[in-house]
Amino acid sequence: QVQLVESGGGLVQAGGSLRLSCAASGSTGSKSNMAWYRQAPGSQREMVATITTGGSPDYSDSVKGRFTISRDNTKNTVYLEMSSLKPEDTAVYYCYLRKIWPGRGDYWGQGTQVTVSS
C-alpha cells in the first residue's frame, strides 16, 4: 500500500506564493509518476502538473509559467511551487501517484485547501 500526505496549503492574497509538499510512504515502487490535481467547488478534478521518475515535468496551460513541480526521490516527496497566484487557483489540491514498477497502482492523498483572495 501507498500513503500520500500533503501539506502546505492555506490562504494567500492574489499575486502571492505557496509551496505544497506531498510525502509518499509504503510500497511506492522504483518507478512511479507523480502529479498534482485540483478540484474547485462545482468543478471536476483537473490535472495541474505531472512529473516522471526521471524528473520530466508537464503542466496544464492554466498554470504554465507560474507553477513548478519537482520531486526528491530520496525523500519520496513531490513539491508544487505556486507563484503569481490568482483567485481562480482556489481549490483543494490533491497529490497523485501512479506506481509503474514493480507492480501497478493509483493512489491519492487526502487533499489540501488552497484559497487565493482577491
Side-chain angles (χ1 to χ4, degrees):
Q1 267 295 6
V2 173
Q3 294 78 42
L4 302 173
V5 178
E6 301 105 331
S7 61
L11 174 64
V12 64
Q13 286 190 330
S17 300
L18 275 177
R19 186 197 199 204
L20 305 183
S21 300
C22 172
S25 61
S27 303
T28 59
S30 301
K31 278 192 173 182
S32 63
N33 293 337
M34 298 188 77
W36 288 95
Y37 282 71
R38 68 186 181 187
Q39 187 167 19
S43 299
Q44 290 189 330
R45 193 172 295 190
E46 63 173 357
M47 186 276 287
V48 175
T50 66
I51 189 165
T52 65
T53 300
S56 296
D58 193 19
Y59 301 92
S60 69
D61 288 342
S62 63
V63 307
K64 204 170 289 183
R66 300 188 298 121
F67 291 10
T68 301
I69 189 171
S70 61
R71 66 189 289 173
D72 184 339
N73 291 333
T74 65
K75 298 180 180 179
N76 278 340
T77 300
V78 64
Y79 306 95
L80 186 68
E81 298 272 3
M82 305 183 292
S83 62
S84 301
L85 282 161
K86 305 174 182 179
E88 51 263 44
D89 294 318
T90 295
V92 178
Y93 283 70
Y94 296 92
C95 179
Y96 168 74
L97 183 147
R98 169 160 285 183
K99 185 177 175 182
I100 298 171
W101 186 88
R104 299 185 75 88
D106 295 300
Y107 304 92
W108 292 92
Q110 81 287 353
T112 186
Q113 177 70 45
V114 172
T115 303
V116 184
S117 63
S118 56

